[in-house]
Amino acid sequence: MTSPILEYADKVWRGMVRADEVPLTVLRAAGAQEVTYGVAMWPAFGNVYAIRGDEGLALFDTGNAVDAPAMYQAIRQWSDEPIKYAIFSHGHMDHVAGTEAFDEENGPRPIVVAHEGMARRFARYGRTAGYNTVIDQRQFGFIRMTWPTSYRVPDLTYQNRMNLSLGDVTFQLRHARGETDDATWAFLPERGVLLTGDLFVWVAPSAGGPQKVQRYPDEWAVALRKMATMNAELLLPGHGLPIAGADRVRQALVDTADYLDSLVEQTLDLMNAGVRLDEILHTVKPPPELAHRVYLKPFYDEPEFIVRNIWRLHGGWHDGNPAHLKPAPDAVFAKAVADLASGAASLAGRAIVAAADGDLRLACQLAELAAQADPEDHKVHEIRARVYALRVQDETGALARGIFAWAAAESRSKITGLDILDVYHEVAGGQMWWIPGAAR
């Protein structure tokens, strides 16, 4: 079966089209497209899949709240059959927020199916709604975004595995821990279709997440290898375009598992040798032959952040530097360093020199110390804003760019008196987050 989605997917795999140049708005304007018999895809930041069987339809993920009306129309233009199941691949808001219109239809509501850990996730989200609002503004530039406090709770949950049926279609649901602890992937043996959720998303795995809870790269790799044994003919990811052909599917899954395993083993080897986190961060690298794969580019998360999560998972939060165990408050330390350097302005000047020398890591550290030492000095904040703006331009990963853009916007806001959210996107220079085939 040929569709524009599959045609673009093939071009991206072969390097004929950059993944960030896929015209998602054009593809989405065509509605839900059938990518194999009885399986339709609605491409979005969080993809939505509809599967037709003898006993009705099932959805695999329901997308985000903003796109929900358009998604509903697209699915209903493809089929008006009742929705029997809505399966959530995991509890992130870009995958679980589109059920409302289906729930309001005449007849029984869809049975929402998910791993049992999702209830715990939603409870945590309720307790940390303010924090999640702040980090999504900082990380993605979601202007005036407010984190939701009510969620579509699953009707049916499972622990390790569950099979669902639509008559002639079986959903083999399997639990995994990867980006989240409540992940579900599904295999449809009659159709040869693998639905991965965010366990595969066309970029380096999001196993770092500097502002998020623990990720599980070890178990993630195990899940990818299990998926590879399914011999699926079509991989449908949580983000990005499909992968068609059993050989390609297997390669993408195994390569991603190898990528994660390499980072884990390198990190553990150094931890076992007593090496501090700082040295590990600047030592561990992914295998070059894998880092260059089109589906393993660090355009969102990145290896350095994954290493930090491996350390946190296996070694706790202390980085091995005894001075960091119970340090002085940041402002106190910054003032002491500024006094040694003849003032905050002098520290900021050294940040300019470091930036000119191409050492933006050091430049940011010095500019940060200067601003903490004298938080009311507008000249210091001007330097801090410029240094972090340079850092934004230098970074490939969307997570890092978002955090650095927020820092620059903080200082610009301090200087101009404007609201930080009003200057964020100007500092960011446009699009701040990107996932192949799903940018907007």
Side-chain angles (χ1 to χ4, degrees), residues 396-415:
T396 60
L399 297 182
R401 291 201 310 273
I403 293 171
F404 293 142
W406 186 267
E410 281 179 326
S411 285
R412 290 275 172 86
S413 175
K414 187 82 172 180
I415 297 164

Side-chain angles (χ1 to χ4, degrees), residues 19-227:
D20 58 335
E21 295 176 347
V22 173
L24 180 64
T25 54
V26 174
L27 293 178
R28 192 161 58 180
Q33 298 181 36
E34 198 155 321
V35 290
T36 192
Y37 174 72
V39 180
M41 175 182 182
W42 191 76
F45 174 63
N47 294 326
V48 177
Y49 300 99
I51 299 91
R52 181 192 293 115
D54 289 341
E55 298 177 1
L57 301 182
L59 301 177
F60 193 85
D61 283 339
T62 60
N64 63 73
V66 174
D67 292 335
M71 180 274 294
Y72 174 79
Q73 292 297 325
I75 297 298
R76 277 312 179 207
Q77 287 172 7
W78 181 69
S79 175
D80 61 0
E81 297 177 66
I83 307 291
K84 184 175 182 179
Y85 299 113
I87 302 163
F88 290 168
S89 68
H90 61 297
H92 285 169
M93 289 295 101
D94 52 339
H95 293 267
V96 300
T99 59
E100 184 174 358
F102 297 103
D103 283 342
E104 293 175 349
E105 292 181 334
N106 294 328
R109 294 201 315 170
I111 300 169
V112 173
V113 184
H115 182 258
E116 64 182 12
M118 197 167 293
R120 294 190 294 272
R121 170 177 300 280
F122 289 161
R124 173 166 59 81
Y125 281 170
R127 299 183 69 191
T128 58
Y131 174 73
N132 284 315
T133 296
V134 170
I135 64 173
D136 271 7
Q137 290 174 345
R138 182 189 305 145
Q139 185 166 290
F140 302 122
F142 290 163
I143 302 299
R144 314 301 178 203
M145 180 268 186
T146 300
W147 192 263
T149 54
S150 62
Y151 315 98
R152 178 62 159 89
V153 177
D155 304 300
L156 178 63
T157 63
Y158 75 100
Q159 185 175 57
N160 295 315
R161 58 180 59 205
M162 172 186 284
N163 288 351
L164 300 174
S165 175
L166 284 177
D168 62 332
V169 183
T170 305
F171 291 78
Q172 298 177 353
L173 306 184
R174 301 294 181 263
H175 171 240
R177 296 208 302 178
E179 183 185 21
T180 68
D181 60 2
D182 59 354
T184 291
W185 59 271
F187 181 59
L188 283 55
E190 296 89 355
R191 306 283 169 86
V193 170
L194 178 68
L195 296 142
T196 67
D198 280 6
L199 293 165
F200 184 88
V201 294
W202 276 91
V203 285
S206 183
Q211 300 179 106
K212 302 291 187 177
V213 297
Q214 181 68 58
R215 272 73 163 117
Y216 305 92
D218 312 65
E219 294 165 83
W220 194 334
V222 171
L224 290 164
R225 296 190 191 284
K226 178 62 177 176
M227 284 188 266

Side-chain angles (χ1 to χ4, degrees), residues 199-205 217 220-221 224-225 249-262 290 293 295-296:
L199 293 165
F200 184 88
V201 294
W202 276 91
V203 285
W220 194 334
L224 290 164
R225 296 190 191 284
V249 170
R250 190 178 304 107
Q251 177 185 326
L253 295 170
V254 172
D255 280 353
T256 306
D258 288 346
Y259 181 99
L260 287 170
D261 280 341
S262 177
L290 296 179
R293 297 281 196 243
Y295 43 82
L296 287 173

Side-chain angles (χ1 to χ4, degrees), residues 275-306:
V275 178
R276 292 182 181 183
L277 176 59
D278 178 70
E279 182 178 343
I280 294 175
L281 289 172
H282 296 96
T283 300
V284 174
K285 307 293 180 187
E289 67 277 11
L290 296 179
H292 290 99
R293 297 281 196 243
V294 67
Y295 43 82
L296 287 173
K297 299 288 188 181
F299 291 136
Y300 184 69
D301 213 328
E302 49 196 281
E304 183 174 334
F305 298 156
I306 297 174

